[in-house]
Amino acid sequence: MASSVPSVAKGLFIGGRWTDPTGATKFTTINPATGETVGEFVSGTAEDVGAAIASARAAAAAWKDTPAPKRGEILLAAAAILRRRKEEIARTVTREMGKVIAEGRGDVQESIDFIEFMAGEGRRLYGETVPSELRAKFCLTIRQPKGVVACITPWNFPTSIPNWKIAAAIICGNTVVFKPASTTALSAARIVEVYEEAGLPPGVLNFVTGSGGVVGNALVSDPRVRAVSFTGGVETGREVYVRGAKGLKMVHLELGGKNPQIVLEDANLDLALDGLLFGAFGTAGQRCTATSRVILHERIYDEFLGRLLERVRALKVGDPLDESTDMGPVASRDQETKVLGYVKTGLEEGGRLAAGGSKLAGPRYDRGFFVAPTVFEVVHGSRLSKEEIFGPVLSVVKVPDFAEAIRVANDVDYGLSSSIYTRDISRALQAVDALEAGITYVNAPTIGAEVQLPFGGVKNTGNGGREAGSAAIEEFTEVKTVFIDYSGRLQKAQIDPR
Ligand code: UN1
């Protein structure tokens, strides 16, 4: 198991300085594979949030006035630092969250990719130029920062989801208060250190650890915060939305998923199987984009399921720092309890447990939160087939044809990612059109979105926004419409004769 590394104590980061954590109320993060303490953090108070917002406000005017390409240079410096620290921070992610080390590196790489992409935006941040109905008049739009924004992030992508928000917010000229998930606070603190070293001016990025109930609520309720970008669970998301709505803030939500992979009878089954194992059990199923349902055409059902179970039983579960491990622990005791609760539910509602279904026992597992990769055969409509589990539990559903596959895929409350495996181009494109999801993959798994494209979903997955890609700029700017009349006389739109 992971060698023991001394735990780290970190304070809050406000106005460009780390506060002294001594004397503050604290919480710790732990390694979900070993139970050892990874870091010790301050439980921030409403006053701390107030100070962080004040610092972000104080920094706002100068940051807005900094040319965007200059802001981009700081992002490029941050990306270079992250490249240098990639292995060390990847190991922190793995130690704190439990994803296997290759995925820990992927998490940091996704951060680097997005920061570099946003650095380039410093030389774009495009507006529009549009013809006027009058003579000697220019009409155009420019983008301006919103002001102080709050970034509230989950534990499953401890560095990249924060960076999707922070890098986009700061290239657009906003200043930020960042509240990370408590489970992965050290990984988040490492990201703050990177921006600090990159030369981000004091107050542009502030970091307040602590609970959602105290820190999150104080942030979302404060009238000085103009926008909130939140990734997390549906229930919390709904609360954030309602609270934000009271202050008429822009609230961006990225919530759950119940992502299907459809496998049609003509699919390349080897490819579909490789994709499914990665999509369902990568990150121990703890991605918003994880494949939690495989929808199989009845003609290939038995063969595919048989091969799937063989592969699932052969997965190597264990120390996520060991390069040969396929799946690590789930991220916390709460996750373990939730996942095992769903196994119980599955059995109670008559699902057939085909693989896994229990906590793993033995000396390699006893101090951690290891759940066996689990496969259930279920009927569509059961709770397992419809609720987000966020763990290594895959539901298998049989369908008679393509039309029913699409109907089942769509008959859930979420719509983040989706996938179809087929060799039939017409049905692939029909699925692209018909699947109710923000993301559809053809002959590829439901996970693994690239940063230069918009990310987000429909239905209960969010409230209509997208992040990353070009959408990142929409998320964090106000559009100002500008009319420049150089005719030297009063011209009246809609009234003057044409
Ligand atoms: C998430 O789980 O919220 O597409 C983000 C993917 C990753 C991001 C997932 N690039 O699976």
Side-chain angles (χ1 to χ4, degrees):
M1 276 292 149
S3 62
S4 82
V5 182
S7 85
V8 181
K10 287 298 252 188
L12 311 177
F13 186 70
I14 297 175
R17 286 213 312 273
W18 290 93
T19 65
D20 180 0
T22 332
T25 311
K26 309 264 208 346
F27 67 92
T28 56
T29 63
I30 62 163
N31 183 331
T34 64
E36 69 189 342
T37 303
V38 174
E40 200 177 65
F41 302 90
V42 172
S43 300
T45 62
E47 291 70 49
D48 294 325
V49 172
I53 296 171
S55 132
R57 277 265 279 205
W63 189 238
K64 174 174 182 263
D65 284 348
T66 304
K70 275 266 165 240
R71 301 198 290 253
E73 283 171 19
I74 296 178
L75 288 191
L76 281 182
I81 295 163
L82 210 42
R83 249 178 228 291
R84 191 190 78 220
R85 293 185 65 182
K86 177 174 172 182
E87 186 62 22
E88 167 231 325
I89 296 180
R91 294 178 81 80
T92 301
V93 166
T94 290
R95 284 178 59 228
E96 203 171 39
M97 183 274 163
K99 63 174 75 178
V100 293
I101 184 66
E103 292 179 355
R105 292 182 192 120
D107 197 313
V108 179
Q109 187 59 47
E110 192 162 349
S111 297
I112 296 167
D113 295 344
F114 188 67
I115 295 170
E116 288 179 348
F117 177 55
M118 283 296 105
E121 276 303 321
R123 289 192 180 270
R124 285 185 293 266
L125 289 180
Y126 294 138
E128 299 174 68
T129 56
V130 182
S132 169
E133 63 184 59
L134 299 166
R135 288 169 207 277
K137 190 177 172 191
F138 287 140
C139 306
L140 56 109
T141 65
I142 58 170
R143 293 189 174 274
Q144 296 193 306
K146 287 180 176 289
V148 177
V149 303
C151 300
I152 305 179
T153 60
W155 45 261
N156 67 333
F157 277 82
T159 77
S160 52
I161 293 181
N163 277 306
W164 284 4
K165 300 184 191 304
I166 293 167
I170 64 186
I171 196 65
C172 294
N174 302 284
T175 56
V176 176
V177 182
F178 168 31
K179 181 234 169 300
S182 296
T183 312
T184 50
L186 184 58
S187 309
R190 295 301 186 220
I191 293 305
V192 176
E193 290 170 1
V194 165
Y195 283 104
E196 180 188 13
E197 189 188 335
L200 200 63
V204 174
L205 174 62
N206 304 274
F207 175 67
V208 184
T209 44
S211 71
V214 175
V215 175
N217 283 352
L219 263 176
V220 178
S221 308
D222 195 294
R224 295 170 292 178
V225 170
R226 290 314 309 153
V228 178
S229 184
F230 171 86
T231 300
V234 172
E235 285 326 310
T236 316
R238 208 184 296 275
E239 257 179 64
V240 167
Y241 200 17
V242 169
R243 246 173 224 276
K246 290 202 176 121
L248 301 178
K249 296 172 210 271
M250 205 286 299
V251 177
H252 179 98
L253 302 173
E254 290 296 339
L255 310 174
K258 186 69 187 172
N259 313 295
Q261 175 179 318
I262 297 172
V263 185
L264 295 183
E265 74 281 17
D266 68 338
N268 175 338
L269 298 189
D270 295 317
L271 190 66
L273 205 49
D274 285 343
L276 182 57
L277 284 156
F278 182 48
F281 301 110
T283 327
Q286 300 164 112
R287 295 195 190 204
C288 307
T289 51
T291 312
S292 50
R293 300 181 288 154
V294 63
I295 301 173
L296 298 178
H297 191 284
E298 61 185 11
R299 228 184 295 154
I300 48 100
Y301 187 90
D302 290 337
E303 182 193 344
F304 192 84
L305 181 62
R307 290 174 62 183
L308 169 68
L309 295 178
E310 228 170 84
R311 294 275 301 268
V312 169
R313 292 190 187 115
L315 286 175
K316 189 175 161 203
V317 182
D319 178 2
L321 284 170
D322 178 339
E323 305 278 351
S324 70
T325 298
D326 295 310
M327 195 180 94
V330 294
S332 63
R333 187 177 300 283
D334 282 356
Q335 278 304 109
E336 184 185 88
T337 306
K338 185 173 167 209
V339 168
L340 295 175
Y342 268 106
V343 170
K344 200 160 158 263
T345 302
L347 292 170
E348 280 164 8
E349 63 184 6
R352 192 184 83 82
L353 180 60
S358 54
K359 185 170 162 55
L360 291 169
R364 296 165 60 211
Y365 301 124
D366 282 352
R367 289 183 305 147
F369 310 121
F370 290 94
V371 180
T374 298
V375 178
F376 260 101
E377 287 183 272
V378 304
V379 289
H380 177 65
S382 57
R383 284 184 59 195
L384 246 65
S385 75
K386 298 193 83 161
E387 295 178 18
E388 181 175 53
I389 300 175
F390 222 67
V393 180
L394 174 67
S395 295
V396 187
V397 181
K398 190 192 289 189
V399 290
D401 54 31
F402 174 66
E404 183 63 2
I406 298 288
R407 191 196 70 81
V408 164
N410 287 343
D411 185 32
V412 289
D413 291 338
Y414 298 100
L416 180 54
S417 189
S418 54
S419 144
I420 182 159
Y421 280 78
T422 178
R423 289 183 168 108
D424 177 344
I425 183 79
S426 300
R427 290 192 303 179
L429 293 180
Q430 284 165 29
V432 166
D433 185 41
L435 286 170
E436 294 168 1
I439 305 170
T440 295
Y441 291 89
V442 176
N443 293 329
T446 62
I447 68 174
E450 299 180 35
V451 300
Q452 66 277 23
L453 287 112
F455 182 93
V458 301
K459 302 198 262 191
N460 287 0
T461 293
N463 56 347
R466 295 289 182 272
E467 63 186 336
S470 52
I473 303 306
E474 305 293 331
E475 186 184 356
F476 288 107
T477 52
E478 297 285 354
V479 170
K480 172 172 283 189
T481 302
V482 185
F483 297 104
I484 305 167
D485 190 321
Y486 56 97
S487 69
R489 58 199 168 82
L490 173 64
Q491 301 196 87
K492 296 180 184 149
Q494 297 94 36
I495 292 171
D496 281 358
R498 313 275 159 121

